[in-house]
Amino acid sequence: MCANVIVAEDDAKQAELVRRYLEREGHAVTVVADGLAALEQARQGEPDLLVLDVMMPRADGLDVVRVLRSEGRELAVLMLTARSTEDDLLLGLDLGADDYMTKPYSPRELMARVRTLLRRTRRDADREDDPVVRVGALAVDPRRHEVAVDGVRITCTPGEFRLLAAMAAEPGRVFTREQLLAELHGFDRYISSRTVDVHIMNLRKKIEQAPRRPDRLLTVFGVGYKLVDPAKKFSRASAR
């Protein structure tokens, strides 16, 4: 599975190591040494993956992800960082990173993460002919990678979209945090199921009229979460 990969890393030795491993697996690699150069490269052509260091000159990795996602660019992003606290990792995911590795890391593990991300990206592309899924006023469009509520488009990060698409495909089903975490694929081993809670919290801000009193994306205490059609829930209550 050959891909076009950008490596954004200001440590020349580290960048060269990553480049060699990627090229050994048949990927075309472009190396840049600062955040603005990473943005410029990501905007050119159609890169499949950005391997992105967090601490870089001119613009850090978090700012790069924020800008790319605000522009609607959906290339996979694997962030590399010396920071290891859960809050830092969750911030990267919240901004739209697809995966996160802490330094020092094994190059072999990095390549395994790259393969996972590229397989998932290919699988998502294969789903582009899937029909729009509707749960009441909520519509999830796999082909356009779009979400709308009452016809109003909602911007979601890739992680948020995958969770919502999984739940929308089976409305009413209760998903455990572990099952939803599996939908995200390959996140750093230090991240707990709190990752899912952060995505759910952010989704509620986007798809619920009252995020603190959700009627669409519900918590099933002690188990996990489910997505329902509020109108059907109301109709059942009225019938009783």
Side-chain angles (χ1 to χ4, degrees):
M1 185 184 297
C2 298
N4 294 317
V5 183
I6 301 169
V7 176
E9 169 65 78
D10 63 331
D11 183 322
K13 290 183 178 179
Q14 196 77 13
E16 178 63 13
L17 177 65
V18 175
R19 182 188 66 78
R20 288 181 180 179
Y21 270 84
L22 287 167
E23 289 184 343
R24 188 179 301 171
E25 297 209 354
H27 303 305
V29 183
T30 302
V31 176
V32 297
D34 65 74
L36 292 185
L39 279 173
E40 292 171 4
Q41 285 296 324
R43 288 164 172 160
Q44 297 175 12
E46 296 183 358
D48 301 295
L49 172 66
L50 171 60
V51 179
L52 178 65
D53 186 29
V54 171
M55 302 300 292
M56 288 190 300
R58 299 180 75 196
D60 69 25
L62 296 175
D63 286 334
V64 171
V65 174
R66 184 184 293 110
V67 172
L68 290 176
R69 295 315 188 206
S70 70
E71 292 177 350
R73 301 183 188 276
E74 296 181 358
L75 75 163
V77 177
L78 170 58
M79 300 194 78
L80 307 175
T81 180
R83 300 171 178 174
S84 60
T85 67
E86 189 177 63
D87 286 344
D88 286 332
L89 302 182
L90 291 174
L91 176 59
L93 299 178
D94 188 32
L95 290 173
D98 295 279
D99 201 354
Y100 219 122
M101 289 191 69
T102 53
K103 297 181 179 180
Y105 54 82
S106 160
R108 292 178 63 187
E109 182 182 358
L110 176 62
M111 292 305 104
R113 299 292 191 89
V114 167
R115 287 191 292 271
T116 297
L117 280 175
L118 292 176
R119 279 197 302 268
R120 194 200 65 217
T121 302
R122 183 67 55 84
R123 189 185 67 245
D124 287 348
D126 291 340
R127 294 176 53 197
E128 286 191 350
D129 290 333
D130 287 357
V132 176
V133 178
R134 300 184 186 279
V135 183
L138 174 71
V140 180
D141 187 340
R143 183 170 63 85
R144 293 186 173 85
H145 211 272
E146 292 179 355
V147 176
V149 178
D150 290 321
V152 179
R153 184 177 174 182
I154 306 298
T155 300
C156 293
T157 68
E160 292 167 0
F161 183 87
R162 284 192 291 277
L163 292 188
L164 194 59
M167 288 188 285
E170 299 184 70
R173 172 187 167 183
V174 180
F175 289 82
T176 67
R177 287 175 175 82
E178 289 71 24
Q179 289 168 332
L180 292 173
L181 192 58
E183 289 292 332
L184 299 174
H185 294 281
F187 282 137
D188 194 287
R189 61 185 177 276
Y190 297 113
I191 294 178
S192 70
S193 58
R194 183 186 167 198
T195 304
V196 171
D197 297 333
V198 172
H199 284 309
I200 294 293
M201 178 182 66
N202 290 330
L203 279 170
R204 282 174 172 163
K205 292 177 182 177
K206 297 174 180 181
I207 69 173
E208 298 280 6
Q209 290 186 344
R212 292 181 180 274
R213 297 187 301 277
D215 62 1
R216 178 174 284 116
L217 186 47
L218 306 180
T219 299
V220 180
F221 292 101
V223 184
Y225 301 98
K226 65 179 179 179
L227 184 70
V228 301
D229 178 356
K232 289 184 178 180
K233 180 181 176 184
F234 179 77
S235 296
R236 287 193 298 269
S238 300
R240 289 196 297 269

